């Protein structure tokens, strides 16, 4: 298969919103192989199969959210109390933010 064919096929399929993401990523793997792009193959493989613990996860894959809890502080009930990440034990924080 020629690189131009793979590119045109991918371009056409990306526009089609009914196209499954797994198929598009598989085509990206093929394109990375055809062009000799280790970076494209590594990215498509990680998106398709998941990132390893030692990989740097792209910002668009990181969750941005706040932690809120219901509970008691002394004798006072608290509802939807925001908890900062530094209030958590180190084991609960994880190594990435």
């Amino acid at each position: 298969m020629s690189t131009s064919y793979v590119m045109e096929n991918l371009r056409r399929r990306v526009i089609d919103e009914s196209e499954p993401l797994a198929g598009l990523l598989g085509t990206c793997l093929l394109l990375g192989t055809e062009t000799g792009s280790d970076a494209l193959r590594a990215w498509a493989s990680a998106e398709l199969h998941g990132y390893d613990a030692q990989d740097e996860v792209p910002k668009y894959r990181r969750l941005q959210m706040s932690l809120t809890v219901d509970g008691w502080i002394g004798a006072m009930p608290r509802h939807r109390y925001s908890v900062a990440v530094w209030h958590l034990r180190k084991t609960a924080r994880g190594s990435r933010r």
Side-chain angles (χ1 to χ4, degrees):
M1 240 182 265
S2 72
T3 303
S4 60
Y5 172 79
V6 175
M7 282 291 295
E8 184 55 41
N9 178 295
L10 181 60
R11 187 177 296 121
R12 185 175 25 81
R13 290 170 50 215
V14 165
I15 295 169
D16 182 0
E17 292 183 9
S18 67
E19 184 71 31
L21 182 57
L24 295 171
L25 290 169
T27 302
C28 288
L29 280 170
L30 176 63
L31 184 60
T33 301
E34 290 286 323
T35 61
S37 174
D38 292 336
L40 179 57
R41 285 187 12 242
W43 171 81
S45 180
E47 289 290 318
L48 193 56
H49 304 293
Y51 288 86
D52 290 332
Q54 72 273 9
D55 293 339
E56 184 170 341
V57 178
K59 278 189 172 183
Y60 62 85
R61 288 284 180 219
R62 298 181 201 157
L63 294 177
Q64 301 292 323
M65 54 195 242
S66 62
L67 176 63
T68 57
V69 296
D70 290 340
W72 291 80
I73 298 178
M76 304 267 310
R78 296 295 300 242
H79 299 288
R80 296 190 183 104
Y81 179 74
S82 291
V83 177
V85 70
W86 55 84
H87 289 142
L88 300 174
R89 283 184 241 153
K90 284 186 180 181
T91 56
R93 290 182 208 169
S95 60
R96 299 182 199 172
R97 288 188 213 185

